[in-house]
Amino acid sequence: MSLEESDRTSIDPKGKADHLCVLVHGLWGTPSHLDYLAKSLREKHPEDKLNVLVAKSNSGSYTYDGIETGGERVTQEVEELLNEFIQGGTPIAKLSIVGYSLGGLIARYAIGLLYSKGWFETIKPINFTTFATPHLGVRTPLRGYHSQLWNAFGARTLSSSGRQLFTIDTFRDTKRPILSVLADPSSIFIRALSEFKTRNLYANIVNDRSAPFYTTAIASTDPFVDLDTVDLQTLDSYSPVILNPENPVSPKSTKEPLQPFYTRFTSGGQSLLTRIPLYTALIALIPVATVAWTINSGIQSFRSNKRIQLHEQGKGLDGYRIPLLMNGNSARSAVGGAFRRVNSAHGQDYLPESQDDDSDNLDASAEDLPKLDLKRTSSRKADFPTLALSDEQFEMIRNLDNVGFKKYPVHIRNHRHTHAAIIVRMQKPGFDEGKVVVRHWLDETFEL
């Protein structure tokens, strides 16, 4: 057992700290994935100032079981600890929660339950932070039959969590996907989110194949598709990793001169030749990997369904089966569409320019939105065209932006697995830029 693992069980309910920070890991995750975050928090804020809980109730394949099941588990874990502090005579007065990847969605569900049960009447919500969380789901904006086939296949390989991330689920009696309910202004989840003193998110601008920029940054455009065509504006003390949230990017005023044809031809040919061994290996391995993945997904989905049934039959859940919408009715009807996901290797599709103005009716005005979102009001100039998102996703953007997030684009260059590097999921030299992200989070945004 590592030092960090043993530390996770060392919270003293009779200690002096009255601030609890809860960390929630992502899909296929374990508490150890958050070791660097937890260690950094403890080094910055000693145990007499801050208690750190790394949620462990959704470890491994338990993350297949859906956002609501995961959220109920985390809520139960947090409530048990809060009650221990009350019994110990030092009740918690402040709460912060941090979600990584899928853990950010689970955290958004959990705070809704905590809010509805009255905890925020005695506990002040301080920091809500997400790292690489797919707030809009994982439906990449693509068109065509190949994308629809991939959407249909992918959404059914991760049990409940997969259907919810692809937004093809129907959540309880709402007749809507759970992500839509999580972003409904009349829901307990948005009410809870609005209670937090600070709301921050960190989003990779490149190479995050698990959760691309538009969904982790809650944006309708992706200005970072081709970095050769834009200038990045960074924060001086955290350059070149953290971009300026107020003005992260602008189109280049001058284009690079076009190289001679011979130079482009020879360099392209050399690039293709170097990739032939990789392509050959992929052709051989993809069919085998697909079969193995499908079999394993079937097994995990079966086990997940059994766990969900046992969870539903468990004791203590009555307090979590509460009205999700404060007015009892949805703000709008569900938008159809079963195919929501796409292979990350493909490019993104955009709305035709003729639809940009029409789709403005689905979104807030430019004055209501942070600059980072670079929404359709900017895309009219064709600098950053609007992505072909669903109506549902556009509404999620509007509602979440109305609550207000400070959005920090992250440019990790030294490793292609940016989804893991952003939180230093493991100790390796290529993940060192993630330490800059964590340092910025602790020094600039986290309030004690």
Side-chain angles (χ1 to χ4, degrees):
M1 178 179 291
S2 69
L3 176 61
E4 288 82 356
E5 287 174 332
S6 64
D7 281 350
R8 282 194 290 272
T9 60
S10 64
I11 296 177
D12 182 10
K14 296 182 180 180
K16 296 180 180 180
D18 65 350
H19 189 167
L20 173 65
C21 181
V22 182
L23 308 183
V24 188
H25 63 72
L27 189 66
W28 301 305
T30 66
S32 65
H33 285 177
L34 303 177
D35 277 350
Y36 186 78
L37 289 184
K39 178 182 177 182
S40 299
L41 267 173
R42 293 184 178 115
E43 289 177 349
K44 180 76 173 180
H45 303 292
E47 60 182 10
D48 62 338
K49 299 292 184 181
L50 182 70
N51 296 294
V52 180
L53 170 66
V54 183
K56 59 184 179 181
S57 52
N58 289 312
S59 297
S61 59
Y62 276 54
T63 53
Y64 276 74
D65 301 348
I67 294 169
E68 79 279 15
T69 302
E72 289 172 354
R73 289 176 181 148
V74 169
T75 304
Q76 196 167 35
E77 200 171 342
V78 171
E79 284 195 297
E80 288 175 357
L81 185 57
L82 292 177
N83 286 321
E84 287 182 23
F85 275 98
I86 292 173
Q87 294 172 6
T90 55
I92 292 296
K94 294 179 286 187
L95 176 70
S96 295
I97 189 159
V98 180
Y100 164 60
S101 192
L102 177 66
L105 300 176
I106 291 174
R108 283 173 55 195
Y109 194 94
I111 62 172
L113 297 182
L114 292 170
Y115 169 86
S116 69
K117 297 195 71 177
W119 284 105
F120 288 4
E121 295 175 9
T122 56
I123 298 176
K124 184 177 181 180
I126 304 297
N127 307 286
F128 187 91
T129 308
T130 63
F131 294 92
T133 288
H135 291 282
L136 309 181
V138 292
R139 174 195 175 275
T140 300
L142 291 172
R143 302 172 186 267
Y145 71 91
H146 58 285
S147 300
Q148 294 182 347
L149 289 175
W150 177 255
N151 292 343
F153 173 77
R156 288 161 177 81
T157 59
L158 296 173
S159 189
S160 292
S161 294
R163 293 191 295 274
Q164 292 171 352
L165 287 171
F166 288 57
T167 61
I168 65 168
D169 64 305
T170 301
F171 183 55
R172 296 187 185 162
D173 59 352
T174 65
K175 299 181 180 180
R176 297 161 58 188
I178 190 173
L179 293 186
S180 176
V181 176
L182 281 175
D184 191 311
S186 64
S187 71
I188 58 175
F189 311 110
I190 288 293
R191 301 291 178 89
L193 192 58
S194 65
E195 292 282 325
F196 281 83
K197 185 177 181 181
T198 73
R199 291 170 296 276
N200 300 285
L201 64 79
Y202 292 83
N204 286 309
I205 66 171
V206 292
N207 294 329
D208 195 327
R209 291 172 174 79
S210 300
F213 174 79
Y214 84 93
T215 184
T216 56
I218 315 177
S220 62
T221 64
D222 186 349
F224 307 105
V225 173
D226 185 357
L227 295 184
D228 292 333
T229 64
V230 295
D231 290 319
L232 303 182
Q233 312 298 326
T234 61
L235 294 178
D236 291 340
S237 300
Y238 305 93
S239 181
V241 179
I242 306 292
L243 303 191
N244 184 343
E246 303 302 327
N247 183 30
V249 62
S250 60
K252 281 188 176 178
S253 55
T254 58
K255 295 184 178 180
E256 297 292 333
L258 187 65
Q259 293 180 331
F261 173 78
Y262 177 76
T263 303
R264 288 181 282 126
F265 177 79
T266 54
S267 62
Q270 291 173 355
S271 177
L272 178 62
L273 288 174
T274 59
R275 294 177 182 177
I276 287 177
L278 173 62
Y279 292 152
T280 303
L282 288 175
I283 291 172
L285 292 175
I286 285 177
V288 177
T290 301
V291 172
W293 169 263
T294 303
I295 293 174
N296 179 68
S297 296
I299 294 172
Q300 295 298 339
S301 294
F302 175 79
R303 292 175 176 173
S304 175
N305 290 333
K306 290 294 185 182
R307 284 195 302 269
I308 293 172
Q309 291 175 10
L310 292 174
H311 178 80
E312 295 288 333
Q313 298 168 5
K315 296 180 179 179
L317 292 180
D318 291 343
Y320 301 151
R321 300 306 157 88
I322 53 181
L324 304 176
L325 303 175
M326 302 298 286
N327 61 5
N329 294 309
S330 168
R332 57 171 183 77
S333 61
V335 177
F339 302 119
R340 305 292 191 188
R341 178 73 162 93
V342 70
N343 190 332
S344 62
H346 298 156
Q348 295 171 324
D349 272 358
Y350 304 92
L351 290 179
E353 289 187 13
S354 61
Q355 291 186 20
D356 273 353
D357 292 337
D358 294 338
S359 61
D360 278 341
N361 294 328
L362 297 172
D363 215 342
S365 64
E367 292 78 14
D368 295 332
L369 301 174
K371 285 186 178 180
L372 171 60
D373 294 339
L374 300 168
K375 297 206 177 302
R376 287 180 286 284
T377 51
S378 298
S379 66
R380 291 194 187 104
K381 300 178 182 179
D383 292 332
F384 306 118
T386 303
L387 296 170
L389 304 177
S390 68
D391 290 350
E392 218 153 47
Q393 289 173 312
F394 283 129
E395 187 166 0
M396 291 180 205
I397 293 172
R398 181 187 64 193
N399 293 339
L400 290 171
D401 277 338
N402 284 341
V403 175
F405 273 90
K406 189 77 169 181
K407 305 177 182 182
Y408 294 96
V410 175
H411 189 196
I412 291 176
R413 309 163 185 236
N414 296 334
H415 204 284
R416 293 191 64 81
H417 193 3
T418 60
H419 192 72
I422 195 171
I423 61 158
V424 195
R425 209 165 73 185
M426 61 191 74
Q427 291 293 339
K428 57 169 54 179
F431 285 6
D432 283 349
E433 288 170 307
K435 295 179 180 180
V436 178
V437 178
V438 175
R439 177 166 61 86
H440 177 273
W441 168 55
L442 292 177
D443 291 349
E444 306 294 340
T445 72
F446 190 89
E447 297 188 17
L448 192 60

